[in-house]
């Protein structure tokens, strides 16, 4: 088990992490906050129809739909149609909708929000702050994370962090020690190999995480490098060769999921992940995803830090995991702002949504949830606190054109895993394409 702090202390740390810069008592989260000043209701007799898109697990879908139904009950005349899916293909569909001028009014966005700001695809919400949209109970840093050129383009839905999600029951069944706060890549490799060997055919110590951007970013930090900073990549070819060499070693040892099996059972699809049925012990995930995974298995799941490298921990810091944004072309900006305010401030909505998108950004909502927390809630709060204590002080910068970079890393990983290219040759191509992406980003 992770060397965790006492539950009370960890939950307090999580709250402090999110609310240190917040103002004191205010009306956010009260009935008046969920129905703020500003006439955002549909005019008498007029029906306003909105669309909202998001990705996630079945649990997130169900909870979001229930929150939408509550909003519709409290706001007669406004209806919202949900458009939801898994993450695979989500951004591709959104890009097509934006290009056609028919994107949803409300859009769940990830860390790539700046990419869509640059496309002029998102609505500036700042004119509604203080009236329809109440952010007084938010940490100032969370507001700034979606602020560009003094305009607000999104509201944080939850704070999370990248993580390694692991099946603790598999570790225990194999008699392998659980990950610690100080484990290294050597520890990771030996654990994966031992689990696969002891549990036998069809069981693996880990998914092949060579295509996971967060895991790569952490690895680079552990060797004293970075993925990206201030317009340039901060790694060299040999860093990436070393990265893929780790996974090649594990592949040859039979310790990670074979390429063809992984394509058919991707870790990003919760209902297809082999971790929930006890075949794979470790995969990458956003920490808040533990809820969706735990719903599908009786095995005990937990969260682990990324392994340490020779330069120490390369842990990515706690981040605004997702944002709720508005389409620049929406015909109903006030109603959209009203729904966003409801989604993050209404206490009933907060209970319905829980922590399925991360630790809630509103202090009042967090207090409500903490009073009725489950063991899985505690695992998440404890992990966020642990990350806060462990992560390096340098703020992580996401690679620009994130979608394209993610696809490039995945294609490179698959070329190596399917033996279409040698590591050296595949990495040569990768480095060339990375530099092209940087030039493309600078030209925009």
């Amino acid at each position: 088990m992770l060397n965790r702090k006492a539950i009370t202390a960890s939950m307090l740390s999580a709250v402090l992490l999110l609310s240190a810069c917040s103002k004191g008592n205010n009306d956010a989260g009260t009935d008046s906050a969920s129905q703020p000043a500003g006439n955002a209701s549909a005019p008498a007799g007029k029906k306003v129809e909105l669309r909202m898109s998001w990705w996630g697990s079945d649990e997130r879908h169900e909870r979001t739909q229930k929150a939408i139904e509550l909003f519709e009950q409290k706001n007669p005349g406004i209806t919202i149609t949900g458009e939801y899916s898994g993450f695979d293909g989500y951004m591709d569909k959104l890009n097509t909708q934006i290009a056609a001028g028919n994107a949803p009014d409300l859009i769940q966005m990830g860390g790539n929000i700046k990419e869509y700001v640059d496309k002029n695809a998102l609505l500036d919400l700042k004119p509604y702050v203080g009236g329809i949209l109440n952010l007084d109970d938010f940490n100032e840093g969370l507001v700034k994370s979606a602020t560009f050129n003094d305009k607000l383009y999104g509201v944080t839905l939850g704070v999370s962090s990248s993580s390694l999600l692991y099946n603790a029951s598999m570790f225990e069944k194999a008699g392998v020690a659980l990950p610690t706060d100080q484990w290294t890549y050597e520890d990771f490799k030996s654990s994966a190999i031992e689990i696969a060997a002891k549990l036998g055919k069809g069981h693996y110590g880990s998914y092949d995480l060579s295509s996971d951007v967060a895991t790569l970013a952490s690895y680079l930090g552990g060797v004293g490098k970075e993925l990206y900073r201030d317009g340039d990549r901060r790694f060299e070819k040999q860093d990436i060769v070393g990265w893929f060499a780790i996974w090649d070693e594990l592949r040859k040892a039979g310790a990670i999921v074979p390429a063809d099996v992984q394509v058919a059972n991707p870790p990003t699809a919760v209902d297809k992940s082999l971790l929930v049925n006890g075949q794979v012990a470790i995969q990458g995930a956003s920490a808040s995803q533990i809820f969706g995974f735990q719903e599908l298995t009786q095995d005990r799941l937990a969260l682990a830090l990324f392994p340490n490298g020779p330069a120490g921990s390369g842990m990515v810091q706690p981040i605004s995991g997702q944002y709720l944004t508005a389409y620049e072309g929406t015909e109903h900006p006030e109603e959209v702002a009203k729904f966003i305010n409801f989604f993050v401030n209404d206490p009933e909505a907060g209970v319905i949504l829980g922590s399925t998108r991360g630790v809630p950004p509103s202090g009042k909502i967090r207090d409500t949830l903490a009073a009725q927390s489950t063991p899985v809630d505690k695992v998440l709060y404890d992990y966020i606190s642990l990350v806060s204590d462990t992560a390096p002080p340098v703020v992580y910068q996401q690679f620009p054109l994130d979608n394209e970079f993610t696809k490039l890393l995945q294609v490179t990983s698959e070329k190596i895993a399917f033996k279409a290219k040698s590591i050296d040759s595949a990495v040569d191509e990768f480095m060339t394409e990375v530099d092209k992406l940087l030039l493309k980003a600078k030209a925009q």
Side-chain angles (χ1 to χ4, degrees), residues 184-208:
T184 66
Y185 270 96
E186 289 304 312
D187 296 327
F188 173 86
K189 289 191 292 184
S190 62
S191 295
I193 292 170
E194 190 174 357
I195 288 171
K198 288 188 174 180
L199 297 186
K201 186 177 180 180
H203 295 85
Y204 307 95
S206 175
Y207 266 101
D208 181 348

Side-chain angles (χ1 to χ4, degrees), residues 4-279:
R4 302 183 183 278
K5 301 174 183 177
I7 291 301
T8 301
S10 66
M11 293 178 70
L12 178 60
S13 297
V15 171
L16 291 175
L17 166 68
L18 289 161
S19 59
C21 299
S22 298
K23 297 181 181 179
N25 292 335
N26 54 69
D27 293 331
T30 65
D31 290 340
S32 60
S34 61
Q35 299 178 5
N39 182 18
S41 298
K46 180 182 178 182
K47 298 291 185 181
V48 172
E49 297 181 359
L50 304 177
R51 294 156 55 212
M52 176 180 173
S53 65
W54 71 89
W55 74 84
S57 65
D58 288 342
E59 181 189 14
R60 180 184 291 176
H61 300 334
E62 292 168 4
R63 287 175 177 258
T64 303
Q65 282 292 168
K66 288 180 181 178
I68 288 173
E69 290 168 8
L70 177 63
F71 176 80
E72 291 173 339
Q73 291 170 15
K74 292 188 174 187
N75 297 274
I78 304 176
T79 59
I80 300 176
T81 300
E83 299 178 6
Y84 50 89
S85 65
F87 184 73
D88 289 348
Y90 177 87
M91 291 298 174
D92 290 335
K93 179 180 179 181
L94 177 60
N95 291 338
T96 299
Q97 292 174 321
I98 289 173
N102 68 342
D105 302 271
L106 294 146
I107 305 168
Q108 179 177 306
M109 192 67 64
N112 57 345
I113 183 173
K114 180 63 163 56
E115 180 179 338
Y116 290 84
V117 170
D118 293 342
K119 292 179 179 179
N120 297 316
L122 303 182
L123 179 72
D124 176 19
L125 298 170
K126 190 170 183 178
Y128 306 99
V129 176
I132 296 173
L133 182 56
N134 190 332
L135 300 180
D136 288 347
D137 197 30
F138 277 50
N139 179 291
E140 184 180 354
L142 297 179
V143 177
K144 286 183 176 179
S145 69
T147 300
F148 305 94
N149 297 322
D150 201 34
K151 295 181 178 180
L152 179 68
Y153 290 99
V155 175
T156 297
L157 293 177
V159 177
S160 187
S161 178
S162 302
S163 72
L164 293 181
L165 175 66
Y166 70 93
N167 187 318
S169 298
M170 284 186 68
F171 273 80
E172 292 163 353
K173 185 177 179 181
V176 175
L178 298 179
T180 71
D181 304 351
Q182 301 299 319
W183 73 330
T184 66
Y185 270 96
E186 289 304 312
D187 296 327
F188 173 86
K189 289 191 292 184
S190 62
S191 295
I193 292 170
E194 190 174 357
I195 288 171
K198 288 188 174 180
L199 297 186
K201 186 177 180 180
H203 295 85
Y204 307 95
S206 175
Y207 266 101
D208 181 348
L209 302 182
S210 61
S211 63
D212 187 84
V213 176
T215 313
L216 170 60
S218 176
Y219 167 80
L220 289 173
V223 296
K225 301 292 183 69
E226 289 184 279
L227 189 64
Y228 169 85
R229 183 161 297 280
D230 300 332
D232 296 304
R233 61 174 167 83
R234 296 300 178 92
F235 60 86
E236 304 301 329
K237 174 184 175 180
Q238 284 309 117
D239 300 316
I240 305 302
V241 168
W243 169 246
F244 283 113
I246 291 173
W247 302 99
D248 191 55
E249 177 184 347
L250 290 171
R251 188 177 300 111
K252 291 175 179 176
I256 59 175
V257 179
D260 57 337
V261 177
Q262 181 148 326
V263 168
N265 302 275
T268 52
V270 179
D271 58 339
K272 292 184 179 181
S273 171
L274 299 177
L275 182 134
V276 300
N277 62 9
Q279 288 183 260

Side-chain angles (χ1 to χ4, degrees), residues 411 413-423 425-426 429:
V411 168
S413 171
E414 289 178 353
K415 285 179 179 177
I416 295 170
F418 281 106
K419 300 181 180 179
K421 291 274 186 179
S422 67
I423 291 178
S425 176
E429 290 183 0

